[in-house]
Amino acid sequence: MSSEVYDCIVIGSGIQGSCTAYQLAKNQQKTLLLEQFVLPHSRGSSHGQTRIIRKAYEENVYIQMMQESYELWAQLEEEAGVELYRRTGLLVMGPENSEGFSCLQATMQSHKIPRVVLEKQEFRQHIPNVNLTDGNGALIDTNAGVLYADRALRAVQRLFQSSEGVIKDGEKVIDITPGAVVTVTTGSGVYRGRSLVITAGPWANRLLTHTGLQLPLKVVKINVCYWKEKIPGTYSVSQRFPCFIQMEPKEGEYDIYGLPSNEYPGLMKVCYHMGSETEPDERDKQTDRGDIDILMRYITRCLPGLVPVPAVVETCMYTVTPDHHFVLDSHPTYGNIIIGAGFSGHGFKFGPIIGKVLSQLAMGQVPSHDLSPFGIRRFQSHARSSL
Ligand SMILES: Cc1cc2nc3c(=O)[nH]c(=O)nc-3n(C[C@H](O)[C@H](O)[C@H](O)COP(=O)(O)OP(=O)(O)OC[C@H]3O[C@@H](n4cnc5c(N)ncnc54)[C@H](O)[C@@H]3O)c2cc1C
Ligand SMILES: O=C(O)[C@@H]1CCCC=N1
């Protein structure tokens, strides 16, 4: 074991761990970022070329965090000297009288989020090649767009390293011993830190076992589907086609979302916002395609310019909490162990602000956003502690 003691060790170099490590290093904290796989990798939740960024949320807390997150993404772009965000707008469609769609409209209005409400008659003119479902309303979050995910992750990791941060990849953490100084053991070394941040995505509960805590997290495999445009370019970024979210495509179904064709010429990414449960290391054995059937029916009905059979299917994972809200909290027993988990398929856009609040917790500071909706205590009846 080296005699060196880090101010903080961060486990997991997905977007949340990388942003947290960067914030810590920027605050002159001697920081070690540990990653089980050799970087870059595509076995977690943060890989792939694109993610949606938006302020269109039903909950005040997410809109408030996104106000700052947009600023931090712009700052990152400047620091890294690369483009990370492209404004496309986000079309939200949903049953006009549903609680979800009404609430979204009301929250956006109360925060004065720039938006355009599309009446049925103007929909076709503004959004050609999309059939609006009967009884659905539509609005556009005008400042929403696309984040270049892989590029962003690389940029944050580079910035961390140039702020004297240390990344050790290909080092899987196999043990954690809590204490005033936390000891972290990997397959090839033993490290010590005054604080520890666990941002291990789908593997969070595996690591938390070493601290006597289990959270109610469900890991699901997402089939990331790309669909061929019948006429290339129909739904493309260059035709100014927006990202979209279809709320409640059918009663009891989860949302469907899409991004304009860009990364693979002639192919548009359209996905179902849920998947089938899996073990993170066994995800390739999960072959359920029920979500793809739902997508095929939706595309036939609403996106007639796409061939309703996926041309490319990639894999990603969500780590889902029972209420689909994040976990951003200190460990209930060990105050110097900080947990960022359960991002439930919508955490990427928050990366920089999550990095900021987790780093504040790790430095013993009061976080600059109200984290009460993200506390572990809300799972009192679910969370298992063997302590
Ligand atoms: C298909 C898909 C589409 C999405 N779309 C959007 C979107 O449009 N907008 C949006 O905002 N969000 C979106 N998300 C969600 C977002 O991508 C995730 O919330 C986010 O990437 C989670 O990041 P993370 O850092 O928590 O997890 P991860 O990226 O999984 O990172 C965890 C890391 O921890 C490492 N690790 C785990 N265990 C160990 C160990 N023992 N030792 C060392 N390292 C370890 C893992 O290898 C991994 O690299 C989407 C997600 C998916 C899958
Ligand atoms: O977070 C997002 O914006 C996307 C789209 C909606 C469902 C999940 N991810």
Side-chain angles (χ1 to χ4, degrees):
M1 179 180 358
S2 139
S3 58
E4 188 170 27
V5 179
Y6 288 93
D7 292 315
C8 189
I9 299 175
V10 179
I11 306 177
S13 72
I15 193 64
Q16 315 303 6
S18 298
C19 286
T20 306
Y22 178 44
Q23 281 293 329
L24 285 161
K26 262 180 125 173
N27 281 283
Q28 283 75 50
Q29 302 291 294
K30 201 164 133 191
T31 306
L32 170 64
L33 176 59
L34 292 170
E35 170 54 50
Q36 63 180 336
F37 298 123
V38 173
L39 292 173
H41 77 85
S42 56
R43 305 298 302 172
S45 304
S46 300
H47 61 280
Q49 297 193 38
T50 52
R51 294 290 188 276
I52 295 173
I53 179 169
R54 60 183 159 113
K55 287 186 187 163
Y57 264 95
E58 292 166 42
E59 299 84 359
N60 293 315
V61 66
Y62 288 126
I63 293 196
Q64 282 152 0
M65 288 171 85
M66 279 314 298
Q67 308 274 30
E68 190 173 352
S69 202
Y70 267 91
E71 288 169 21
L72 295 175
W73 278 116
Q75 206 175 307
L76 277 174
E77 278 188 315
E78 206 150 283
E79 289 165 349
V82 287
E83 190 195 6
L84 303 177
Y85 154 74
R86 178 163 186 166
R87 186 175 154 200
T88 62
L90 169 80
L91 166 68
V92 185
M93 299 169 284
E96 218 151 13
N97 301 317
S98 65
E99 204 185 313
F101 190 69
S102 313
C103 183
L104 181 92
Q105 277 187 298
T107 315
M108 288 181 78
Q109 185 168 354
S110 73
H111 288 272
K112 300 189 170 58
I113 304 301
R115 69 203 178 285
V116 176
V117 175
L118 292 175
E119 299 304 336
K120 203 165 174 92
Q121 30 321 341
E122 40 190 16
F123 184 87
R124 198 156 269 287
Q125 177 197 340
H126 284 90
I127 317 282
N129 303 304
V130 177
N131 297 328
L132 184 64
T133 304
D134 282 345
N136 270 210
L139 64 83
I140 292 184
D141 170 352
T142 49
N143 288 328
V146 173
L147 288 170
Y148 297 118
D150 282 340
R151 198 189 284 176
L153 192 59
R154 273 200 308 276
V156 177
Q157 290 167 354
R158 250 194 335 263
L159 287 168
F160 169 62
Q161 287 173 308
S162 48
S163 312
E164 319 231 318
V166 178
I167 300 183
K168 290 187 185 279
D169 62 348
E171 284 211 37
K172 180 176 176 171
V173 173
I174 51 175
D175 197 20
I176 297 169
T177 309
V181 171
V182 185
T183 304
V184 175
T185 307
T186 70
S188 39
V190 179
Y191 306 98
R192 296 188 305 151
R194 286 183 195 87
S195 64
L196 173 71
V197 177
I198 301 179
T199 41
W203 293 267
N205 266 337
R206 293 260 175 98
L207 283 159
L208 287 170
T209 309
H210 303 293
T211 71
L213 179 71
Q214 286 293 273
L215 296 172
L217 302 174
K218 185 168 92 168
V219 177
V220 298
K221 173 179 170 176
I222 301 297
N223 289 311
V224 184
C225 299
Y226 290 84
W227 309 78
K228 190 169 191 262
E229 293 167 317
K230 291 176 182 166
I231 301 169
T234 307
Y235 300 100
S236 69
V237 153
S238 52
Q239 292 295 313
R240 301 172 63 87
F241 193 80
C243 297
F244 79 85
I245 295 179
Q246 171 69 62
M247 299 171 79
E248 284 178 54
K250 283 254 165 90
E251 214 183 309
E253 288 180 355
Y254 288 92
D255 296 353
I256 287 172
Y257 58 95
L259 290 84
S261 63
N262 186 36
E263 53 244 53
Y264 302 141
L267 301 185
M268 182 187 185
K269 175 154 121 183
V270 182
C271 300
Y272 189 56
H273 185 42
M274 193 38 77
S276 300
E277 199 158 359
T278 186
E279 281 295 313
D281 294 319
E282 307 266 302
R283 67 178 208 191
D284 302 297
K285 292 188 186 151
Q286 173 53 270
T287 54
D288 185 22
R289 288 170 66 94
D291 52 340
I292 297 181
D293 294 338
I294 292 174
L295 287 168
M296 286 167 67
R297 286 195 291 272
Y298 179 76
I299 284 171
T300 306
R301 211 167 60 238
C302 298
L303 297 168
L306 295 177
V307 178
V309 177
V312 171
V313 181
E314 297 176 348
T315 300
C316 194
M317 286 182 286
Y318 285 179
T319 309
V320 184
T321 61
D323 56 13
H324 292 240
H325 299 313
F326 311 152
V327 176
L328 304 169
D329 204 351
S330 308
H331 190 287
T333 311
Y334 308 111
N336 61 344
I337 299 184
I338 312 304
I339 302 162
F343 293 101
S344 303
H346 64 118
F348 201 98
K349 66 183 83 57
F350 295 92
I353 186 63
I354 282 166
K356 181 168 170 182
V357 295
L358 292 180
S359 73
Q360 289 169 330
L361 289 175
M363 292 186 286
Q365 298 172 0
V366 176
S368 49
H369 282 267
D370 170 23
L371 300 185
S372 54
F374 308 119
I376 290 172
R377 278 203 183 83
R378 74 188 196 273
F379 303 129
Q380 213 106 42
S381 59
H382 300 272
R384 286 199 306 279
S385 169
S386 57
L387 297 170

